[in-house]
Amino acid sequence: MNNFKVSVIIPVYNCAEYIGATLKSVINQDFDDYEIIVIDDGSTDNSLEVINETLRDCEVHNNIIHQENAGVSVARNQGIEVSSGQYLVFVDADDYISENHLLELYNPDYDFSLVQFAKKEGDSISVPNNFDFTEISTADFIKKELNMEILFNFFQMSYNADIIRKNNVCFTPGVVYGEDTEFALKALSYSDKIHVSNEVTYYYVQRSDSAIKTTEFKRFDIISIFESLADFYKSQNKNDLANMIIHSRVPKAIFGNMNYFFHSGHDFEEVIREMKKRDLFSKLKKY
């Protein structure tokens, strides 16, 4: 039984400098009937102290969970498990949302709703992406994402919690790059349409010490994530989507990450060795 309209799930690991502002943005919503679930993933700084202090007198129902460090996927899965909202919304611990974020996302006529986001780096905020439609089929949306025709991040969307639970959709543990895209593209396959708003309500804060920027060659892990997603679509008899992944999305991901490493100043031979170790050149041939 869903006790709230929305559950906001926030995984936290060593984000004491940012989590206070993030939580305040979630608390100050122009929306009623939601809960806040914070999962402290074994932080070694004073993140938990900041969380407790920020939520101590909070009138919004909240649940603070502390677990041994197990990674962001396990933390989000734990948040899903204890949630009781009709819809799930995810916010990262160093990002923030505008006061109308949940209002824009909550739409009981749809299983999924999507808003726009802007990247914030220092004092600079990127120009948001806009769509020329207010509704799109999940099949078309998945194809656009796999063809890299749209800019999309999983945190832009609200997810029907019953769909997530009934189909055991979860984040793959131990992965720090691509697990969120996998979650979204799996979830979307269980429904038929998405409501789309061009309102910018999520602000993605880019930090030089973020998890993704410090994982080195783990960026290549997204290849195995997409291959797993292809197998998933095959099990649903959606071979067109599986083929798009193997023959287009995977090679593009290899090229993109290879160029990222070269642009970031990594040693050429070191990158090539890593690609050979992961058998990525054979996968490129399928493009």
Side-chain angles (χ1 to χ4, degrees):
M1 181 176 179
N2 296 315
N3 298 323
F4 299 95
K5 290 179 179 177
V6 175
S7 296
V8 181
I9 297 172
I10 310 170
V12 181
Y13 178 71
N14 288 352
C15 278
E17 183 180 350
Y18 308 95
I19 187 59
T22 299
L23 287 174
K24 287 175 183 177
S25 76
V26 177
I27 293 168
N28 296 322
Q29 290 292 297
D30 292 338
F31 187 83
D32 295 323
D33 198 18
Y34 69 102
E35 65 173 344
I36 302 171
I37 301 171
V38 184
I39 308 95
D40 176 54
D41 185 36
S43 295
T44 56
D45 64 0
N46 64 326
S47 290
L48 188 57
E49 180 182 339
V50 175
I51 294 166
N52 287 325
E53 178 64 28
T54 306
L55 295 179
R56 179 168 290 122
D57 299 317
C58 175
E59 295 182 0
V60 179
H61 183 274
N62 60 85
N63 185 358
I64 302 171
I65 300 169
H66 177 75
Q67 65 180 32
E68 295 297 317
N69 180 249
V72 66
S73 290
V74 174
R76 289 183 183 134
N77 289 338
Q78 174 73 353
I80 293 172
E81 185 175 340
V82 303
S83 67
S84 57
Q86 179 185 358
Y87 289 91
L88 305 176
V89 170
F90 298 91
V91 178
D92 283 348
D94 51 358
D95 297 337
Y96 64 93
I97 56 177
S98 61
E99 61 188 12
N100 61 332
H101 183 62
L102 298 185
L103 193 62
E104 285 291 321
L105 280 175
Y106 181 74
N107 191 324
D109 293 330
Y110 293 82
D111 291 324
F112 303 94
S113 291
L114 180 143
V115 294
Q116 306 308 325
F117 77 100
K119 292 182 181 180
K120 186 176 187 301
E121 190 162 11
D123 295 328
S124 175
I125 296 180
S126 67
V127 177
N129 181 54
N130 284 326
F131 297 131
D132 57 0
F133 46 81
T134 58
E135 179 182 295
I136 185 173
S137 72
T138 53
D140 286 343
F141 187 88
I142 291 171
K143 289 176 182 177
K144 285 180 178 293
E145 203 289 331
L146 294 180
N147 279 326
M148 301 181 72
E149 297 175 12
I150 57 173
L151 181 64
F152 168 71
N153 275 284
F154 94 108
F155 51 63
Q156 291 175 255
M157 194 173 290
S158 60
Y159 302 81
N160 184 306
D162 285 341
I163 286 178
I164 300 302
R165 298 187 185 105
K166 288 178 181 177
N167 297 288
N168 196 29
V169 181
C170 61
F171 295 87
T172 301
V175 179
V176 296
Y177 195 82
E179 84 294 340
D180 45 8
T181 300
E182 178 191 31
F183 176 87
L185 295 184
K186 280 185 175 181
L188 289 171
S189 72
Y190 292 106
S191 189
D192 58 353
K193 60 184 179 179
I194 307 167
H195 180 262
V196 177
S197 168
N198 278 326
E199 190 80 13
V200 179
T201 62
Y202 193 104
Y203 293 86
Y204 173 39
V205 180
Q206 301 212 285
R207 298 190 286 125
S208 59
D209 61 338
S210 67
I212 286 182
K213 287 191 176 182
T214 56
T215 52
E216 293 296 321
F217 291 128
K218 283 187 176 293
R219 289 180 67 99
F220 280 136
D221 287 352
I222 197 170
I223 310 306
S224 59
I225 284 290
F226 275 122
E227 290 174 333
S228 174
L229 186 61
D231 290 337
F232 170 79
Y233 285 140
K234 287 179 183 178
S235 72
Q236 293 186 322
N237 293 318
K238 297 176 180 177
N239 292 325
D240 58 332
L241 297 180
N243 288 332
M244 287 177 66
I245 293 173
I246 298 302
H247 298 292
S248 178
R249 193 64 169 91
V250 164
K252 287 179 180 178
I254 296 171
F255 275 124
N257 283 295
M258 178 179 67
N259 288 332
Y260 168 85
F261 289 125
F262 292 152
H263 183 72
S264 301
H266 284 70
D267 179 74
F268 177 86
E269 294 298 335
E270 186 181 9
V271 174
I272 297 302
R273 280 196 300 271
E274 183 67 23
M275 292 179 66
K276 288 181 178 178
K277 184 173 74 174
R278 293 172 178 259
D279 193 30
L280 299 185
F281 288 105
S282 68
K283 302 179 195 299
L284 282 175
K285 293 178 181 179
K286 298 180 180 180
Y287 184 64

